Amino acid sequence: EVGTSVARRGSMTLLFFLALISVNLGVVNFLPIPIADGGHFVFLLYEQITGKPVSVAVQNIATIAGLVLVAGMFLFVTYNDISHLLFG
């Protein structure tokens, strides 16, 4: 709905809107969540500071925890959207 509304205002407004979404995605991707690039950056920072890499077991646990977090947020937002559509 918002994309359609922005597109009706002209191509420059639509391009600005698309650029804003792209920058937002880049910022979210750099958050220190283990399944995103920011999480890998945290692991690399740890390795740089300590001189030894994070163990594979810790990386796996952090990745699964990040995946559960993102999946939970996805399910919550989807449930919220559907409940607002059905019940006002």
Side-chain angles (χ1 to χ4, degrees):
E1 183 178 329
V2 173
T4 304
S5 173
V6 170
R8 288 185 183 137
R9 294 181 188 167
S11 59
M12 286 306 288
T13 307
L14 180 61
L15 285 175
F16 178 76
F17 179 69
L18 293 175
L20 191 63
I21 290 175
S22 180
V23 168
N24 187 22
L25 181 59
V27 168
V28 169
N29 194 33
F30 205 65
L31 290 175
I33 301 170
I35 62 170
D37 290 337
H40 295 290
F41 183 71
V42 170
F43 291 147
L44 291 173
L45 257 173
Y46 175 84
E47 182 176 352
Q48 184 70 31
I49 293 169
T50 63
K52 57 182 179 175
V54 178
S55 72
V56 174
V58 169
Q59 288 183 26
N60 287 340
I61 290 169
T63 301
I64 290 171
L67 183 62
V68 167
L69 174 72
V70 170
M73 288 173 47
F74 174 78
L75 290 173
F76 173 74
V77 168
T78 302
Y79 171 78
N80 195 25
D81 286 347
I82 291 172
S83 67
H84 277 53
L85 282 174
L86 295 177
F87 305 114

